[in-house]
């Protein structure tokens, strides 16, 4: 066990970073602490502004009456605080730290002793009191008590709020609010209208059926108030797939449950009525399972693999047509992937289904398989670049031709790398790496694609890495979409020629090494066969019907291109509006800061004026006292002069005594 440096304040999350800065500045991190020691460190203007931001962050907007007593300091503090209005607490925290950094740039290096709780980095294999638990075919070591754990944060996961989203290819922990969902893994996640919905999952071996929502604009959690329908509450499940559909519906497909049905069920949640319902399907539905992959290709769902209720691993492929709600089990060509669960799947160019990784009861895989939905044929292309390590339980999303994969594990440790596969060139590369046991290095986490300020962002939630997590992390990838999706009827574009050439050049011949119930991995033998079986679906149609279909197809393509152009224009306008909004917001914040500074200066001038007025009043009093003293002095001099004159006169008795006046004067 290694202890991370608590003094690395740049890695502290809010509000810990703010309280550390407040304690360093002299506030002690408490909302009721006076700011006596602040004035000795900073100027009067900075001290007033720091006091106001500290009160705004810890107490909230100023709602106390203005001080009535003649105390310039208290009035200045009150005015500075009330001038912040309804500024958010998180914003006040960030401004407090920013101003402190401007006033004292080296405070981070000297603030290590102000951090009360150091961050502990625990190795993956160190679990005192662990119990082996077998869940869904994977043996995990689960702590006996999974409560009151200190959360581990990694230096590569920056907890700076949404300001850190300006950095590409770096995981950021946003400042979420609201009641967090219960920690879980193997849940489902989907995004509709800038809201991420989380359904079900596994917590301490118990399946969940709650539906949570995270607003990706305000980053606020809330629990969806699900209304009971005719079927009652939905069955708790984990290892299912959650697919957005129709703009206002969520589809939950398959999943492990306590008492699973024999065949796979499709559940639908209506966001308008907030009710769950079971959809009626036609055809032969697949056997009930969990840990499968479900990929949306056009208006159809492609399901592959998983593990059934008897813990048997599967590698069958089924397609559900959402227009007719009909299941079809595909008879495929080539050698399919070995039976597995907890793998990842993605679609490329609306034609190629890619399968990567996954696990059996004994091992994990890092092989890549491609299924051509037009020729119904499996192939195993050659991977290039930094091929990822074997893993299962990883999460993935696609951005154009880029397939980004996060997390996963091999039942021993979590995978720390975030990797990307260019599906056009089949080249792997590493996007970023985290260190330590963090939620991003987990099995069974979810990953969705959303947008922030007009750019794509990845949002990760939950997972299991020795403890159950409910953390949210986001990443803005530098990989952009450069591939325009084509209709399945159009010719194959040049950008996917690498996939086609690779699948044509390398075919799989799979030899069984074992077919026991444990589902051990089977050896893959590459065969460079020159011949390529070509299977075409032959249908008899009339020439005029074919011409009519082609004409209708061209009209649809023209209409689709027009809609795409309008969509691009609207996206561009939206990006420009968001940019203007961001600039105006920054300007508003700058004006607020200047206004607060000017108010502080005005308060200081008012204090100086009050002191001068007091001095003027004292001068008036002194002048009156001086005038009174002058009058008393004049009266005293007049009395002395009169007495002197009486002495000089001598009176009648002096004359009778014969004393001359001059002699009296001399004697005197």
């Amino acid at each position: 066990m290694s202890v991370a440096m608590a003094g690395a304040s740049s890695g502290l999350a809010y509000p810990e970073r703010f309280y550390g800065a407040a304690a360093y500045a002299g506030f002690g991190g408490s909302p009721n602490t006076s700011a006596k020691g602040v004035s000795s460190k900073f100027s009067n203007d900075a001290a007033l502004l720091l006091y106001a931001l500290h009160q705004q962050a810890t107490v909230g907007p100023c709602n106390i009456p203005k001080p009535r007593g003649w105390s310039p300091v208290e009035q200045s503090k009150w005015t500075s605080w009330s001038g912040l209005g309804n500024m958010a607490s998180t914003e006040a925290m960030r401004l407090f730290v920013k101003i402190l950094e401007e006033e004292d740039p080296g405070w981070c290096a000297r603030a290590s002793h102000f951090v009360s709780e150091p961050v502990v980095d625990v190795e993956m294999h160190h679990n005192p009191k662990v119990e082996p638990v077998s869940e869904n075919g994977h043996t995990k070591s689960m702590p006996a008590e999974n409560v009151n754990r200190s959360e581990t944060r990694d230096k590569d996961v920056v907890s700076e709020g949404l300001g850190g989203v300006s950095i590409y290819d770096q995981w950021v922990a946003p400042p979420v609010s609201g009641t967090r969902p219960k920690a879980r893994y193997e849940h489902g996640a989907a995004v509709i209208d800038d809201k991420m919905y989380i359904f079900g999952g596994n917590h301490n071996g118990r399946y969940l059926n709650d539906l949570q929502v995270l607003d990706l604009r305000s980053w606020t959690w809330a629990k969806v108030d699900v209304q009971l329908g005719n079927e009652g509450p939905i069955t708790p499940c984990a290892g299912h797939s959650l697919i957005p559909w129709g703009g206002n519906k969520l589809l939950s497909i398959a999943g492990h449950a306590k008492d699973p049905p024999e065949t796979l069920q499709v559940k639908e949640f209506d966001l308008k009525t907030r009710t769950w319902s079971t959809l009626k399907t036609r055809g032969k539905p697949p056997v009930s399972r969990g840990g499968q992959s479900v990929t949306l290709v056009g208006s159809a769902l492609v399901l592959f693999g998983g593990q059934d209720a008897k813990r048997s691993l599967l590698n069958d492929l089924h397609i559900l047509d959402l227009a007719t709600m009909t299941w079809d089990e595909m008879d495929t060509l080539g050698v399919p992937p070995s039976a597995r669960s907890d793998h990842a799947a993605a679609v490329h160019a609306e034609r190629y289904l890619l399968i990567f990784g996954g696990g059996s009861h004994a091992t994990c895989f890092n092989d890549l398989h491609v299924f051509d939905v037009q020729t119904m044929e499996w192939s195993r292309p050659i991977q290039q670049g930094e091929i990822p390590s074997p893993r299962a339980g990883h999460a993935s999303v696609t951005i154009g031709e880029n397939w980004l994969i996060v997390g996963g594990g091999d039942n021993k440790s979590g995978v720390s790398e975030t990797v990307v596969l260019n599906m056009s060139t089949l080249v792997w590369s590493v996007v970023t790496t985290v260190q330590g046991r963090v939620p991003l290095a987990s099995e069974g986490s979810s990953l969705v694609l959303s947008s922030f300020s007009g750019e794509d962002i990845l949002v990760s939630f939950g997972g299991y890495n020795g403890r159950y997590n409910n953390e949210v992390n986001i990443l803005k990838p530098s990989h952009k979409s450069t591939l325009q999706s084509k209709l399945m009827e159009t010719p194959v574009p040049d950008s996917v020629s690498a996939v086609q050439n690779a699948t044509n050049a390398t075919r799989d011949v799979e030899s069984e090494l074992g077919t026991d119930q444990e589902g051990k991995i089977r050896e893959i033998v590459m065969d460079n066969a020159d011949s390529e079986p070509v299977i075409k679906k032959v249908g008899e149609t009339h020439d005029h019907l074919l011409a009519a279909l082609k004409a209708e197809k061209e009209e649809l393509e023209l209409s689709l291109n027009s809609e795409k152009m309008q969509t691009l224009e609207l996206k561009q306008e939206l990006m420009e509006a968001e940019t203007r909004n961001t600039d105006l917001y920054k300007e508003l914040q700058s004006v607020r800061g200047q206004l607060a500074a000017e108010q502080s200066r005005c308060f200081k001038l008012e204090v100086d004026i009050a002191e001068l007025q007091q001095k003027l009043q004292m001068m008036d009093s002194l002048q009156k006292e001086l005038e009174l003293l002058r009058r008393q002095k004049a009266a005293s001099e007049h009395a002395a002069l009169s007495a002197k004159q009486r002495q000089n006169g001598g009176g009648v008795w002096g004359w009778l005594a014969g004393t001359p006046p001059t002699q009296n004067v001399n004697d005197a």
Side-chain angles (χ1 to χ4, degrees), residues 206-226:
R206 295 184 178 181
Y207 299 130
L208 307 174
N209 67 345
D210 57 332
L211 182 63
Q212 308 280 343
V213 59
L214 175 64
D215 191 324
L216 299 178
R217 294 297 181 186
S218 62
W219 300 99
T220 303
W221 279 108
K223 184 177 181 180
V224 179
D225 186 14
V226 178

Side-chain angles (χ1 to χ4, degrees), residues 89 101 146 163 165 230 384 398 441 468 493 534 540 595 602 616 626 646 668:
S89 175
E101 291 176 349
N146 195 29
V165 183
N230 298 328
Q384 302 179 32
T398 58
Y468 295 88
V534 179
E540 296 181 357
L595 178 60
C602 291
L616 288 175
L626 180 60
R646 285 196 299 269

Side-chain angles (χ1 to χ4, degrees), residues 434-457:
V434 296
Q435 298 177 359
R437 190 173 67 178
V438 295
L440 293 167
S442 300
E443 295 183 29
S445 62
S446 62
L447 187 69
V448 297
L449 178 65
S450 184
S451 62
F452 178 78
S453 297
E455 294 190 274
D456 296 325
I457 61 170

Side-chain angles (χ1 to χ4, degrees), residues 389-599:
S389 60
R391 67 195 64 193
H394 42 289
S396 68
V397 295
T398 58
I399 304 178
E401 71 273 25
N402 299 300
W403 189 15
L404 292 103
I405 297 178
V406 176
D410 57 0
N411 289 333
K412 296 179 181 179
S413 61
V415 178
S416 59
E417 302 92 3
T418 299
V419 297
V420 60
L421 172 68
N422 188 309
M423 294 184 288
S424 298
T425 61
L426 297 179
V427 176
W428 288 99
S429 59
V430 177
V431 177
T432 186
T433 302
V434 296
Q435 298 177 359
R437 190 173 67 178
V438 295
L440 293 167
S442 300
E443 295 183 29
S445 62
S446 62
L447 187 69
V448 297
L449 178 65
S450 184
S451 62
F452 178 78
S453 297
E455 294 190 274
D456 296 325
I457 61 170
L458 309 184
V459 184
S460 172
F461 171 77
Y464 178 88
N465 59 357
R467 71 166 67 94
Y468 295 88
N469 299 301
N470 62 351
E471 299 292 328
V472 177
N473 291 286
I474 60 178
L475 178 142
K476 182 167 70 171
S478 59
H479 300 80
K480 304 300 178 183
S481 174
T482 58
L483 176 67
Q484 296 295 331
S485 299
K486 302 293 183 181
L487 293 176
M488 294 180 63
E489 294 84 353
T490 59
V492 180
D494 295 336
S495 60
V496 299
S497 60
V499 176
Q500 189 173 18
N501 294 335
T503 56
N504 291 338
T506 57
R507 301 293 175 184
D508 297 315
V509 177
E510 184 175 68
S511 60
E512 293 283 341
L513 294 182
T515 57
D516 54 354
Q517 294 181 354
E518 291 301 319
K520 294 183 179 180
I521 184 172
R522 295 175 289 180
E523 181 180 1
I524 304 299
V525 181
M526 304 301 296
D527 183 8
N528 296 325
D530 295 337
S531 61
E532 177 184 359
V534 179
I535 305 300
K536 297 183 180 179
K537 295 182 178 180
V538 180
E540 296 181 357
T541 57
H542 296 287
D543 293 340
H544 67 277
L545 180 59
L546 183 59
L549 290 175
K550 288 183 178 180
E552 184 179 359
K553 174 186 172 183
E554 292 177 357
E555 292 180 0
L556 290 175
E557 288 181 347
L558 291 175
S559 177
L560 179 61
N561 291 332
S562 176
E563 292 294 333
K564 286 183 177 180
M565 291 299 297
Q566 293 180 3
T567 302
L568 290 175
E569 292 177 357
L570 291 175
K571 285 185 178 180
Q572 184 65 27
E573 293 178 359
L574 179 60
M575 291 175 60
E576 294 176 356
E578 289 181 348
T579 301
R580 290 195 298 268
N581 185 29
T582 303
D583 295 339
L584 290 175
Y585 181 78
K586 291 181 179 178
E587 185 177 355
L588 176 60
Q589 293 302 112
S590 176
V591 171
R592 284 180 176 177
Q594 295 176 3
L595 178 60
E598 292 297 330
Q599 288 179 342

Side-chain angles (χ1 to χ4, degrees), residues 109-351:
R110 298 186 293 271
S112 60
H113 61 282
F114 291 102
V115 182
S116 58
E117 295 183 359
V119 180
V120 179
D121 182 12
V122 185
E123 295 181 1
M124 288 294 299
H125 304 288
H126 183 72
N127 277 325
K129 296 183 181 180
V130 296
E131 299 177 359
V133 178
S134 178
E135 295 177 356
N136 307 331
H138 294 283
T139 302
K140 302 180 181 297
S141 295
M142 187 173 67
E145 294 181 2
N146 195 29
V147 294
N148 296 330
R149 293 288 191 113
S150 61
E151 295 296 332
T152 302
R153 291 198 176 271
D154 179 64
K155 64 180 181 180
D156 294 323
V157 181
V158 182
S159 301
E160 291 285 346
L162 294 185
V165 183
S166 59
I167 304 175
Y168 287 97
D169 298 336
Q170 188 175 12
W171 285 105
V172 176
V176 297
S177 59
T179 303
R180 292 174 181 258
K182 181 179 293 185
R184 66 192 69 196
Y185 83 120
E186 291 188 344
H187 50 278
V191 173
I192 295 180
D193 294 336
D194 293 326
K195 294 181 178 180
M196 181 177 71
Y197 293 88
I198 301 295
F199 169 64
N202 188 323
H203 176 79
N204 285 337
R206 295 184 178 181
Y207 299 130
L208 307 174
N209 67 345
D210 57 332
L211 182 63
Q212 308 280 343
V213 59
L214 175 64
D215 191 324
L216 299 178
R217 294 297 181 186
S218 62
W219 300 99
T220 303
W221 279 108
K223 184 177 181 180
V224 179
D225 186 14
V226 178
Q227 304 297 317
L228 292 179
N230 298 328
E231 302 176 2
I234 188 172
T235 303
C237 61
H240 52 285
S241 302
L242 195 65
I243 306 294
W245 179 248
N248 59 354
K249 294 180 180 179
L250 297 170
L251 299 180
S252 177
I253 301 97
H256 298 290
K258 184 178 181 181
D259 297 315
E262 293 183 0
T263 59
L264 185 147
Q265 292 185 346
V266 179
K267 304 283 186 176
E268 179 189 81
F269 182 79
D270 193 323
L271 296 179
K272 293 183 179 180
T273 61
R274 293 180 295 173
T275 56
W276 284 101
S277 60
T278 303
L279 299 181
K280 295 182 179 180
T281 59
R282 303 175 182 176
K284 183 181 179 181
V287 66
S288 180
R289 67 190 68 193
Q292 73 292 323
S293 64
V294 177
T295 310
L296 182 64
V297 182
S299 61
L301 296 178
V302 181
L303 180 145
F304 172 76
Q307 180 179 258
D308 64 13
K310 298 178 181 179
R311 300 184 67 244
S312 297
L313 295 170
L314 306 169
N315 66 340
D316 53 346
L317 189 142
H318 301 261
I319 294 181
L320 175 62
D321 189 341
L322 294 176
T324 61
M325 296 304 296
T326 303
W327 282 106
D328 286 323
E329 183 174 4
M330 297 293 103
D331 294 327
T332 62
L333 301 172
V335 180
S338 58
R340 65 190 63 197
S341 66
D342 298 331
H343 51 277
V347 62
H348 178 50
E350 294 293 324
R351 175 174 176 176

